[in-house]
Amino acid sequence: GVYNVFVELKPGSWTLVLNTQTRQEKYDPNEKVKLFGAYNYDSKFDVVRAPMTVRTTDQSVEQFTIAFVNVTDTGATLTMAWEKTVASVDFGLAAGTK
């Protein structure tokens, strides 16, 4: 399927959100249901909300970076880094989803 990825940002507490809300191909200010960026976001379309671990680091990341690390046959860790902040969330894969 197609998923939208959001991160709910609160000081020291980030939440990764996967959402299936339909998106606009071209911005229409009269459209009040379909997403355009985060405009019209509706949590009723959320399929996953996962708390992320947030930490600071001494090493600065100049460009916002999303990466999968610690990848195995059964899961991985999704990391997001920018400046001196790193957020991560572990996830597993169900059997038969390789």
Side-chain angles (χ1 to χ4, degrees), residues 71-87:
V71 177
T72 69
D73 287 343
T74 58
T77 300
L78 172 68
T79 63
M80 298 180 178
W82 189 28
E83 294 182 343
K84 294 189 175 197
T85 302
V86 177

Side-chain angles (χ1 to χ4, degrees), residues 1-9 14-23 35-39 41-43 45-50 52 64-68 78-80 87-89 91:
V2 175
Y3 296 90
N4 307 297
V5 178
F6 297 100
V7 177
E8 182 179 85
L9 303 173
W14 293 15
T15 302
L16 178 72
V17 179
L18 296 182
N19 173 294
T20 59
Q21 191 169 352
T22 305
R23 294 172 287 146
L35 282 173
F36 187 78
Y39 291 114
Y41 166 75
D42 189 336
S43 63
F45 295 97
D46 293 353
V47 292
V48 172
R49 294 181 66 83
M52 300 183 80
F64 177 65
T65 303
I66 300 173
F68 292 100
L78 172 68
T79 63
M80 298 180 178
S88 61
V89 62
F91 64 92

